[in-house]
């Protein structure tokens, strides 16, 4: 049942988009965006660059940086809401493009909580004894499903990918997890392909993200404050035992409110929102990777990862960092 994560990789597209870009297409300013979200820039995929491309490049970064053999991976999980196809899934695209011969492949559609769900599922496969080496990827090309006429949401999203390998281990470094969903708020953050109501309410089936920002903000803060406390308790830890909180980077104001509600200093919270925007399923691995690269996150640090988003759903897990800076 023991598992470890000792490698990580990320990829973001080459094209940076600063806040001034939006001044030319909607009624906004750099100051307005920065003040309300904390975002200064994000990255957009090229016209011919898609979610599967970002997945592959993030895994290649991991393999190169940590000298990882990919050939014996026996399961691939991709967390995304912006894959270029529903079928074949993104995990299957990763499998064939990276020549991984014998792997099960699934995609997880849990929005911004998807990467943590992926780790939880990977640990479960290892605990069941059916698998030994699981590749977990969070990847998004949200720029391709953004409504650029919606001034309150189009400024938020960016593209990127992050990947880890969850492996069977002699000792356990991935601990107890928590999952939570409130499906009654499904209409408050959705992406509809067909004109089918959500909880009896009509939708806009334009294949773009739609968000009720005020409702999601309130739900996120109250949920995270409670669930982070519950998760530490499940793991017989106190908040002061956690070296780094790594929540989904949706909005810097959400993270500040959560830290305030927990009485935890903001400088113990790793984020990717300022320089990458909201990259949904990719935001946690990007923040984790950059924390390691900057020297903040050290070997054996206690981490608490928690994602939250469309569903509305939440997933958290505590683990010990076994990834060294390379």
């Amino acid at each position: 049942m023991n598992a470890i994560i000792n490698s990580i990789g990320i990829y973001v597209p080459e094209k940076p988009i600063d806040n001034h870009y939006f001044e030319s297409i909607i009624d906004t300013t750099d100051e307005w965006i920065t003040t309300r979200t904390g975002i200064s820039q994000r990255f957009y995929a090229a016209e011919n660059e898609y979610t599967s491309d970002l997945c592959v490049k993030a895994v290649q970064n991991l393999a190169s940086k940590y000298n990882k053999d990919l050939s014996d991976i026996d399961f691939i999980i991709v967390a995304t809401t912006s894959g270029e196809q529903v079928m074949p899934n993104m995990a299957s695209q990763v499998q064939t493009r990276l020549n991984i011969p014998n792997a099960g492949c699934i995609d997880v559609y849990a929005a911004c909580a998807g990467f943590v769900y992926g780790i939880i599922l990977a640990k479960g496969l290892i605990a069941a004894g059916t698998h030994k080496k699981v590749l977990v990827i969070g990847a998004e090309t949200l720029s391709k499903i953004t409504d650029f006429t919606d001034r309150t949401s189009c400024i938020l999203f960016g593209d990127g990918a992050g990947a880890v390998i969850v492996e069977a281990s002699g000792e356990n470094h991935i601990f107890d997890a928590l999952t939570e969903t409130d499906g009654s708020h499904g209409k408050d953050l959705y992406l509809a392909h067909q004109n089918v109501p959500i909880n009896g309410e009509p939708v806009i089936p334009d294949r773009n993200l739609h968000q009720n920002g005020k409702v999601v903000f309130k739900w996120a803060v109250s949920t995270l404050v409670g669930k982070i406390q519950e998760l530490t308790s499940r793991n017989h830890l106190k908040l002061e035992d956690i070296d780094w909180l790594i929540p989904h980077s949706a909005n810097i104001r959400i993270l500040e409110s959560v830290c305030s509600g927990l009485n935890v200093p903001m400088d113990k919270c790793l984020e990717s929102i300022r320089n990458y925007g909201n990259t949904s399923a990719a935001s946690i691995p990007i923040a984790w990777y950059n924390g390691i690269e900057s020297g903040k996150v050290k070997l054996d640090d206690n981490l608490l990862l928690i994602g939250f988003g469309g569903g509305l759903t939440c997933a958290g897990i505590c683990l010990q960092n076994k990834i060294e800076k390379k």
Side-chain angles (χ1 to χ4, degrees), residues 180-186 188-189 215-216 219-220 308-314:
E180 178 84 8
T181 299
D182 184 352
S184 68
H185 283 296
D188 291 312
L189 181 52
V215 170
V216 174
W219 172 85
F308 57 95
L312 297 173
T313 191
C314 175

Side-chain angles (χ1 to χ4, degrees), residues 26-70:
I26 56 172
D27 181 18
T28 194
T29 64
D30 170 55
E31 181 183 10
W32 190 92
I33 296 170
T34 304
T35 300
R36 285 160 178 79
T37 69
I39 300 170
S40 60
Q41 71 168 12
R42 72 289 289 148
F43 294 83
Y44 283 177
E47 186 176 350
N48 62 345
E49 187 176 38
Y50 299 95
T51 298
S52 62
D53 299 314
L54 274 57
C55 289
V56 168
K57 290 176 181 177
V59 178
Q60 289 172 332
N61 174 243
L62 177 154
S64 172
K65 200 173 188 68
Y66 290 91
N67 193 29
K68 282 288 183 179
D69 180 10
L70 304 179

Side-chain angles (χ1 to χ4, degrees), residues 43-323:
F43 294 83
Y44 283 177
E47 186 176 350
N48 62 345
E49 187 176 38
Y50 299 95
T51 298
S52 62
D53 299 314
L54 274 57
C55 289
V56 168
K57 290 176 181 177
V59 178
Q60 289 172 332
N61 174 243
L62 177 154
S64 172
K65 200 173 188 68
Y66 290 91
N67 193 29
K68 282 288 183 179
D69 180 10
L70 304 179
S71 66
D72 58 346
I73 287 169
D74 49 23
F75 209 90
I76 303 170
I77 300 170
V78 174
T80 188
T81 54
S82 54
E84 58 266 30
Q85 294 103 17
V86 174
M87 183 176 63
N89 61 22
M90 294 299 97
S92 297
Q93 294 292 297
V94 171
Q95 181 270 330
T96 189
R97 290 172 62 179
L98 291 176
N99 298 312
I100 300 171
N102 299 302
C105 293
I106 62 169
D107 287 0
V108 174
Y109 293 93
C112 312
F115 179 75
V116 178
Y117 269 110
I119 292 176
I120 294 169
L121 293 172
K123 172 68 185 291
L125 290 169
I126 289 169
T130 57
H131 297 78
K132 293 183 177 180
K133 192 171 181 180
V134 184
L135 176 62
V136 179
I137 307 168
E140 305 284 5
T141 49
L142 298 180
S143 64
K144 298 184 186 296
I145 56 171
T146 294
D147 179 1
F148 285 95
T149 66
D150 182 355
R151 67 185 296 269
T152 62
S153 69
C154 71
I155 59 172
L156 297 172
F157 302 115
D159 303 338
V164 297
I165 296 176
V166 182
E167 302 182 61
S169 172
E171 296 182 356
N172 189 45
H173 302 283
I174 304 176
F175 309 123
D176 203 359
L178 172 152
T179 57
E180 178 84 8
T181 299
D182 184 352
S184 68
H185 283 296
K187 178 67 185 302
D188 291 312
L189 181 52
Y190 73 91
L191 170 65
H193 293 257
Q194 298 184 57
N195 191 15
V196 179
I198 299 174
N199 299 330
E201 297 184 59
V203 300
I204 304 171
D206 60 357
R207 304 189 179 206
N208 286 330
L209 288 167
H210 295 273
Q211 177 174 251
N212 184 336
K214 291 182 180 180
V215 170
V216 174
F217 189 108
K218 183 178 179 180
W219 172 85
V221 172
S222 63
T223 298
L224 263 64
V225 169
K227 295 307 171 184
I228 287 171
Q229 292 172 321
E230 181 180 339
L231 186 55
T232 53
S233 177
R234 283 191 184 192
N235 285 279
H236 308 291
L237 297 169
K238 298 178 181 178
L239 278 171
E240 51 265 36
D241 297 324
I242 302 297
D243 294 295
W244 297 101
L245 292 176
I246 314 182
H248 161 53
S249 286
N251 184 314
I252 200 67
R253 305 306 163 216
I254 290 177
L255 304 186
E256 289 173 345
S257 296
V258 169
C259 287
S260 176
L262 293 169
N263 197 27
V264 169
M266 185 63 185
D267 59 11
K268 284 188 67 173
C269 178
L270 295 180
E271 50 81 17
S272 55
I273 190 72
R274 299 180 196 272
N275 293 319
Y276 300 89
N278 179 340
T279 54
S280 189
S283 77
I284 289 175
I286 289 173
W288 187 359
Y289 178 94
N290 285 329
I292 293 166
E293 288 297 294
S294 69
K296 289 182 178 180
V297 178
K298 296 180 172 56
L299 205 62
D300 296 329
D301 278 357
N302 289 324
L303 309 182
L304 189 155
L305 281 55
I306 190 160
F308 57 95
L312 297 173
T313 191
C314 175
I317 195 164
C318 289
L319 53 84
Q320 189 177 38
N321 180 63
K322 303 304 288 186
I323 306 174

